[in-house]
Amino acid sequence: WCGGAGLPDQKLVSLVLAAACAELIGSSFLCPLEATRIRLVADPGYGREVFDALPRLVSERGAGVFASLPAVLAKMLPYTVTQLVSYDLLTKQAYLALQAAHVHTDPSLSLAVSFACSLIAAVLSSLASQPGDSLLSELNKGGSSFGSSPAEIAQAMAFQDFFRGTSARLVHMMAIVSTQLVIYDLVKQLVGLPATGAA
């Protein structure tokens, strides 16, 4: 996990950068679409559908269509980086432990490893992104008592406000993330690739 002299291992740094870049690019593309969707919910007559209303919103707001991007990234960057990196590292350590114990990894055991590691990754990514989720929820209210901008809301929120609803979200995220990652590993194996961490 770590390189020499207390420095992060090159693979760990690469995993973090890859996950962060993927989320940054994805969120940047989706942000104007989400802003348009929210506008259509508030004003159904604004356009027929998202791609019809998007050009109008861009012409009216310009770069303002990216106003919520900092709040989106505050949620999604920790979520994606923690989920993907922790899952990769956890499965790798699990297979190394099984190999050291001379345990043969058949498909059922691989499924168990994927499921167990995905649950841990779900918990970690949910907790890591909870403050950002709370911030984004307040921002999307439109009439938050904490303020109108991400910076104002973040400064006005108390520590416990950032973790409101953690238990309910944790259950939700465990179901989603574990399903996604287990299916991801099953499909990899079906097409002849090793399960995550097994190679």
Side-chain angles (χ1 to χ4, degrees), residues 15-112:
L15 288 171
V16 170
L17 288 175
C21 286
E23 186 54 55
L24 179 61
I25 293 168
S27 291
S28 297
F29 274 108
L30 289 174
C31 196
L33 299 176
E34 181 65 7
T36 308
R37 184 192 66 80
I38 291 171
R39 179 58 187 265
L40 286 171
V41 170
D43 180 9
Y46 190 77
R48 292 190 306 273
E49 38 81 23
V50 170
F51 290 102
D52 173 59
L54 179 60
R56 178 181 173 186
L57 191 67
V58 170
S59 67
E60 291 176 359
R61 293 191 187 176
V65 295
F66 293 98
S68 65
L69 185 59
V72 171
L73 292 177
K75 171 187 176 180
M76 295 307 300
L77 271 177
Y79 169 77
T80 301
V81 171
T82 305
Q83 175 191 324
L84 297 180
V85 173
S86 65
Y87 184 65
D88 194 284
L89 296 177
L90 287 165
T91 52
K92 186 68 175 177
Q93 293 304 309
Y95 282 112
L96 286 174
L98 291 171
Q99 185 179 12
H102 305 290
V103 176
H104 174 68
T105 51
D106 57 21
S108 60
L109 184 56
S110 291
L111 178 62

Side-chain angles (χ1 to χ4, degrees), residues 122-143:
V123 171
L124 295 175
S125 59
S126 180
L127 293 176
S129 61
Q130 180 62 38
D133 183 71
S134 298
L135 175 62
L136 190 59
S137 296
E138 285 296 328
L139 184 66
N140 284 338
K141 281 182 181 177

